[in-house]
Amino acid sequence: MNIKAVGIILSVSLCSSAPIMAADLSLGLMGGTNSSPYKGVDSKGFVMPLISADSQYLYLHTTQGGIHLYRPNQQFQINLFAEYSGTEFKPHDSDNHQMRLLDHRKPSVYSGLGITFNTGAGRMQASVMYDVFSHSNGWISKIGYAYPIQQGALTLIPSLSVQYNSKHQNQYYYGISSGEATRSGLSSYQADGGLFPTIGLTARYHITQNWIAQLNGQYTFYNNDITDSPMVDSDYALSASAGIMYHF
């Protein structure tokens, strides 16, 4: 997890300090592990701040910050946002000698529009975003659904989302150019755009009125546009994390 990039989003979102400082605010710390679909790359641990701040005009949720363009009530909102994506391939992280001869695929920040609709039947979200650093020149769209289940101090939030990566997005992170193929001995690969789903579960427990413990787990299923790449040796990715935060 790139803490520097998270800091960039934090700085941008806090540029109008008065509105955000009046927000509903929670701060904490989270640690966890992410598996990698890349050949020869082991799971990686991370530690990062947990931040949740929401005001009339601005918001910040750890890796995503933005502006409420339209929010007539707590049930519906349209946001302009910037979001950090930690998808990355570092050649030296792989223990496969051919993979170590490929180019670095960098993480990036994406900007776009998002819609959130909260009802008694759950929370629905949709977004579309573009790579503002132009590493991939690609774009991503997502739709998701989550249903909070509260039992006393414990809240369980199962979720399901589907993400679409554009052709350029998949090509940057999973394609292999002819030059890389010649250098590494891996077959060249031209990726197409495609859909893949993620299921998740979040558990939040109020230790006290202000202290909250949180557990998160996600399982992502990759489609053939990704798994057919010679760079990839897994058709899924797992993510798990635990954290604690204080609600002011």
Side-chain angles (χ1 to χ4, degrees):
M1 185 66 67
N2 191 317
I3 302 301
K4 182 178 180 181
V6 175
I8 292 173
I9 293 176
L10 174 62
S11 300
V12 172
S13 299
L14 297 182
C15 61
S16 299
S17 59
I20 197 74
M21 290 306 175
D24 184 44
L25 178 64
S26 298
L27 298 174
L29 192 67
M30 175 176 65
T33 182
N34 294 320
S35 68
S36 172
Y38 291 116
K39 188 181 298 183
V41 178
D42 294 330
S43 298
K44 284 188 174 182
F46 64 88
V47 176
M48 64 182 297
L50 264 176
I51 305 165
S52 179
D54 205 340
S55 71
Q56 183 178 357
Y57 304 108
L58 302 174
Y59 73 93
L60 177 63
H61 298 153
T62 302
T63 58
Q64 184 187 105
I67 302 169
H68 296 304
L69 295 180
Y70 180 68
R71 189 169 68 163
N73 49 54
Q74 294 298 316
Q75 284 70 47
F76 183 78
Q77 54 186 276
I78 300 175
N79 302 317
L80 176 66
F81 66 87
E83 177 179 302
Y84 170 73
S85 171
T87 302
E88 182 179 18
F89 170 68
K90 294 181 178 180
H92 66 263
D93 284 346
S94 177
D95 59 15
N96 182 288
H97 73 280
Q98 290 178 302
M99 293 284 288
R100 294 173 71 92
L101 298 174
L102 300 180
D103 295 330
H104 182 199
R105 274 71 165 172
K106 300 177 181 179
S108 197
V109 173
Y110 294 78
S111 183
L113 286 173
I115 297 174
T116 300
F117 187 39
N118 292 298
T119 71
R123 182 177 69 248
M124 291 166 279
Q125 294 179 300
S127 62
V128 60
M129 65 193 92
Y130 185 78
D131 180 357
V132 296
F133 287 169
S134 299
H135 294 321
S136 68
N137 290 312
W139 58 274
I140 295 170
S141 61
K142 297 180 183 180
I143 56 172
Y145 172 77
Y147 185 78
I149 304 167
Q150 188 164 357
Q151 294 290 334
L154 176 65
T155 301
L156 297 176
I157 310 174
S159 63
L160 171 66
S161 65
V162 178
Q163 177 172 315
Y164 177 82
N165 283 359
S166 71
K167 179 177 180 178
H168 288 300
Q169 179 75 12
N170 277 347
Q171 179 62 27
Y172 178 72
Y173 286 104
Y174 307 107
I176 298 177
S177 68
S178 58
E180 288 181 304
T182 300
R183 186 168 68 243
S184 68
L186 294 170
S187 300
S188 61
Y189 182 70
Q190 296 294 317
D192 289 324
L195 294 164
F196 56 90
T198 296
I199 57 174
L201 179 64
T202 297
R204 293 178 184 150
Y205 185 78
H206 280 261
I207 303 170
T208 67
Q209 184 176 355
N210 299 101
W211 284 102
I212 304 166
Q214 180 169 301
L215 298 173
N216 301 284
Q218 284 191 331
Y219 189 105
T220 298
F221 306 83
Y222 291 121
N223 63 9
N224 291 342
D225 299 302
I226 293 175
T227 59
D228 286 347
S229 169
M231 295 180 67
V232 173
D233 66 357
S234 177
D235 59 2
Y236 68 90
L238 291 170
S239 174
S241 63
I244 189 167
M245 56 185 174
Y246 184 85
H247 180 74
F248 292 88

